[in-house]
């Protein structure tokens, strides 16, 4: 936490975008490594980490000849990191200013958008682990994203694991949004069922900025999404949506902090859980006493498809200001058999009826998604994950 | 068709007993419906009319203890609802459920294509589909906006019923069961819907109307009227029987 604070502090105090990045990163890196050494024991005692022995860096460099099968056909600017190293020839474009700096992770995606930058196509950041190292690897992938005044950007982040090992992705994303900027960020966790994901995202927003964060969790042994948004200005809109379709363990922790007046936030998490899925949703909205006229919505809706699936939802509000409009709630339920019967009585097969119903259920999240092609991917995901087990 | 039709009924129910959680609801129903016929089932509340329609459509909650249901000669009790629909059975629900997020167009398209697929046909081209949908909408005097709305969500009672009949016209089933289609419709809506049903009626399909009142039977004239009372068919007759019930109520019919 200290480390995160230092970054946040650094940015909020100096609040200038031309940071001497090399020196700063160097200091930060050495600090973090020291911190990790002292905290190593804690990490090892963690519930989902204790039986795993990770190496931090891979030594071999692997060449992948046929990569295209991995890549969804998005019309995008693409950055590919293979085993933590940026591959220029795999990536389709080089845009704006891109820096890499050795940090705790091998290389960092540092995206800097100048004032008024408008990026037409989405930017895709793809991390690939090849599993060339015999031991399981802890991948530390990092994204730094700076949005200049009035810039408009769409980003997709995804991870792929090519090995059968218990790989662990620990991804940290930091986003600094200046006034009037717009960010559409989509995170896809759709990998082998042996992969662990730890995702920390923190976003700092300035006046009138607008962010729309979509988190899709489809596959993984254990997925943890920590998302915090700090509204450091007025009239800020933050929309965070989550859709989880899975059979394993997942934790969502979200935090939205309204600090100044006229902020808006919308926090909608939907889940479709099957088999022995075990899920936690901890949502928190804090409205500090200066943040008047805040409008915040928080909702967690879940469908359980099996008897063993578990959901623990914990939507919280902390309000210190007056004249605000906030709501929070959660729903946990099962598929409505009447609805399925209605669809089936019109000749629609059972599996298709369920898929249709589930897709309709996730529509509330999908309508905020600006990437059309992703919608098809998600439809496929619903059919792939949920339907086979229903028919058996 | 001609060869088959002489001996095989479209729907043949023999000695049907149905119960839910050990509680008997239907106690020995017999019903024969031929192609081209219109049957009406009347009866007081709780007599088992809706149970009968649900059992024919394949609702799982009801348990068939004894009896046979044959559709065009084939036993259908073991079939799933979608298989029955694919063979040509259609149930217009008494209280259609709301399905948020599924638009009417999307639903109709999937439904029509599922039925075509079961018959080994290709998907209907979208262009043709929209054309047919528009044509049918006109018949039932429905608004175009209706197509982009979520299925039954926020529909008024009348709209729901019209939607059901609209689906019937789109799916073109052999046997249509109309479960209290007239309830919730005003006089004018009842007339348009009835006209639509009459236009749909042909020698190849059959209609089973379930109702409390005579008023829908004024527009759609039944060939046979049956009275269902406490899970049994107590009386059958021509359309005159419906008039008698309208005049005297159900109390004059004594259980046999």
């Amino acid at each position: 936490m200290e480390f995160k604070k230092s970054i946040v502090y650094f940015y909020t105090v100096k609040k200038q975008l031309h940071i001497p990045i090399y020196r700063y990163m160097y200091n930060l890196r050495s600090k973090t490594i020291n911190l990790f050494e002292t905290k190593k024991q804690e990490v090892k005692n963690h519930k989902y980490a204790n039986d795993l022995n990770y190496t931090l860096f891979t030594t071999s460099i692997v060449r992948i000849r046929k990569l295209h099968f991995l890549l969804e056909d998005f019309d995008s600017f693409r950055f590919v990191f293979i085993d933590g190293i940026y591959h220029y020839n795999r990536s389709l474009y080089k845009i704006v200013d891109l820096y890499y700096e050795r940090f705790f992770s091998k290389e960092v995606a540092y995206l800097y958008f100048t004032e008024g930058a408008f990026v037409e196509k989405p930017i895709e950041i793809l991390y690939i682990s090849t599993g060339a190292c015999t031991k399981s690897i802890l991948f530390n992938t990092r994204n730094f994203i700076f949005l200049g005044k009035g810039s408009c950007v769409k980003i997709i982040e995804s991870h792929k694991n090519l090995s059968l090992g218990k790989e662990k992705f620990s991804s940290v994303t930091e986003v600094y949004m200046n006034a009037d900027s717009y960010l559409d960020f989509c995170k896809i966790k759709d990998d082998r069922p042996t992969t662990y994901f730890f995702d920390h995202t923190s976003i700092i927003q300035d006046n009138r900025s607008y962010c729309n964060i979509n988190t899709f969790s489809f596959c993984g042994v254990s997925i943890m999404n920590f998302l915090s948004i700090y509204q450091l200005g007025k009239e800020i809109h933050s929309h965070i949506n989550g859709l989880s379709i899975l059979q394993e363990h997942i934790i969502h922790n979200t935090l939205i902090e309204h600090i100044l007046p006229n902020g808006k936030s919308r926090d909608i998490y939907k889940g479709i859980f099957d088999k022995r899925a075990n899920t936690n949703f901890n949502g928190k909205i804090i409205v500090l006493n200066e943040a008047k006229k805040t409008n915040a919505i928080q909702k967690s809706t879940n469908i359980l498809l099996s008897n063993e699936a578990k959901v623990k939802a914990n939507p919280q509000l902390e309000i210190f200001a007056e004249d605000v409009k906030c709501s929070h709630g959660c729903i946990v339920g099962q598929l409505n058999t009447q609805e399925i019967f209605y669809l089936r009585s019109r000749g629609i097969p059972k599996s298709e009826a369920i898929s249709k119903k589930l897709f309709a259920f996730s529509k509330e999240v999908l309508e905020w998604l600006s990437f059309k092609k992703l919608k098809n991917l998600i439809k496929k995901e619903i059919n792939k994950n949920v339907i086979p087990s229903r028919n058996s | 068709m001609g060869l088959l039709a002489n001996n095989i009924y479209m729907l043949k129910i023999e000695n049907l007993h149905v119960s839910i959680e050990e509680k008997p609801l239907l106690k020995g129903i017999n019903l024969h419906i031929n192609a081209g016929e219109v049957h009406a089932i009347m009866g007081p509340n709780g007599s088992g009319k809706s149970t009968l329609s649900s059992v024919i459509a394949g609702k799982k909650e009801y348990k068939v203890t004894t009896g046979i249901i044959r559709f065009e000669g084939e036993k259908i009790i073991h079939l799933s609802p979608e298989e029955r629909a694919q063979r040509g059975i259609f149930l217009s629900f008494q209280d259609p459920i709301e399905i948020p997020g599924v638009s009417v167009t999307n639903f109709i398209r999937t439904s029509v294509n599922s039925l075509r697929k079961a018959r080994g046909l290709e998907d209907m081209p979208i262009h043709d589909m929209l054309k047919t949908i528009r044509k049918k909408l006109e018949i039932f005097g429905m608004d175009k906006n209706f197509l982009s709305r979520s299925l039954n969500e926020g529909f008024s009672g009348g709209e729901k019923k019209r939607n059901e009949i609209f689906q019937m016209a789109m799916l073109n089933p052999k046997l249509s069961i109309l479960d209290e289609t007239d309830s919730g419709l005003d006089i004018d809506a009842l007339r348009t819907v009835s006209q639509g049903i009459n236009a749909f009626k042909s020698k190849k399909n059959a209609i089973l109307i379930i109702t409390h009142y005579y008023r829908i039977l004024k527009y759609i004239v039944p060939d046979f009227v049956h009275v269902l009372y406490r899970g049994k068919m107590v009386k059958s007759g021509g359309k005159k029987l419906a008039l008698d019930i309208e005049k005297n109520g159900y109390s004059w019919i004594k259980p046999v």
Side-chain angles (χ1 to χ4, degrees), chain A residues 340-356:
Chain A
I340 301 299
F341 176 68
Y342 187 89
L343 294 172
R344 287 176 79 186
S345 76
R346 297 295 181 257
I348 301 171
K350 189 181 178 189
S351 57
E352 207 180 329
I354 293 176
S355 137
K356 211 166 205 30

Side-chain angles (χ1 to χ4, degrees), chain B residues 155-204:
Chain B
F155 281 24
S156 69
E159 278 176 321
K160 279 184 184 173
K161 291 293 162 67
R162 278 189 209 204
N163 181 21
E164 296 288 300
I165 300 303
F166 164 65
Q167 285 172 31
M168 181 186 82
M170 284 302 298
L171 300 181
N172 198 9
K174 287 177 190 158
L175 172 67
S176 315
I177 305 164
L178 311 179
D179 193 352
E180 295 194 21
T181 298
D182 55 331
S183 64
L185 291 178
D186 60 43
I187 299 287
D188 292 330
L190 183 64
R191 196 178 297 132
T192 39
V193 166
S194 307
Q195 277 166 4
I197 295 171
N198 280 331
F200 166 76
K201 201 172 75 180
S202 76
K203 290 231 158 132
K204 283 182 183 169

